Structure formats: structure tokens, C-alpha cells
Amino acid sequence: MKYVKEFGIILLISFVGELLHSLLPLPVPASIYGLVLLFACLVTGVVKLEQVNTTARYLIEIMPLMFIPAGVGLLDAWGVLQPVLVPVMVITVLSTVIVMGVSGRITQAILRMGSRKKVNSRG
């Protein structure tokens, strides 16, 4: 019953994200609305981490399975992709490298800020 309750909370927040997507004229996917709502609920304490933790971990573990239909869809669309394969590959590699670099720099900056706070609080 615990899993059903946790999954229900996640589904409810996802549904609210879908509603926001339908109501707001912004080019933001419903899943992003749902993620932001869940984050806001967790930060404010409206939803406690213990209320969704087990099911969320399970969903993260099975996430790679969710990419199989998309991969099959790409194989099915091979005739459309073949003429633009090189530009798509270049864009994919460049965007991956850029995202990795920016994410690494941001992570380093956050870690440095955290270590500075620790040093300042000690002395």
C-alpha cells in the first residue's frame, strides 16, 4: 500500500504539471512543470522525502527501459534520419560536450562555495 500511495503522490504532481502545460501559454513541457512542482513541494516540506523516496528510486532505476521505445522509433525512422545523420551526430556530440563542461564547472563552483562556508564557519 505504501508504494501505491507514493506513486499516487508522484502521479498527482505530474497531473498538475499536465494541467499547467494546458493552461499556460509557455513552451515548457508538462514533465518540466511536474519536476519543478515536485522539487518545490520537497523544498517547502509540503511533500516529505519519505513520502516518495522508495517509489522515486524505483522509477529512476527502471528509467533506462523507458528509452527503448524511443530507440526503436529512431530505427524505424532511419530513412528520414539518414540524409541528415552527420549534422545530427555533430550537434549531438557538441551539445553533450558543452553540457558536460557547463555541468562540471557549475558543480565545481558549488563545491567551492560549500567548502568556503565550512572554512568561514570554523574560524
Side-chain angles (χ1 to χ4, degrees):
M1 191 66 180
K2 174 186 174 190
Y3 300 112
V4 174
K5 181 181 175 186
E6 289 184 14
F7 193 66
I9 292 169
I10 294 171
L11 279 180
L12 177 67
I13 292 172
S14 296
F15 179 70
V16 173
E18 291 286 341
L19 288 177
L20 285 174
H21 177 70
S22 297
L23 297 173
L24 298 176
L26 299 173
V28 178
S31 59
I32 300 301
Y33 283 124
L35 284 172
V36 170
L37 284 172
L38 181 58
F39 178 71
C41 288
L42 287 168
V43 168
T44 59
V46 173
V47 174
K48 305 285 188 234
L49 182 59
E50 300 81 33
Q51 293 175 307
V52 293
N53 192 27
T54 308
T55 301
R57 285 186 184 274
Y58 173 73
L59 290 173
I60 289 171
E61 285 177 11
I62 66 166
M63 191 185 319
L65 291 176
M66 304 303 164
F67 289 100
I68 292 173
V72 171
L74 284 174
L75 291 175
D76 192 39
W78 177 248
V80 176
L81 283 175
Q82 194 172 9
V84 292
L85 185 62
V86 172
V88 169
M89 293 298 290
V90 169
I91 291 169
T92 302
V93 169
L94 284 176
S95 63
T96 301
V97 169
I98 291 169
V99 167
M100 287 172 58
V102 170
S103 299
R105 292 291 186 178
I106 290 172
T107 302
Q108 286 177 343
I110 290 171
L111 290 173
R112 283 188 199 117
M113 287 183 349
S115 64
R116 286 182 191 155
K117 287 181 181 179
K118 286 180 183 177
V119 169
N120 289 340
S121 65
R122 289 181 192 165

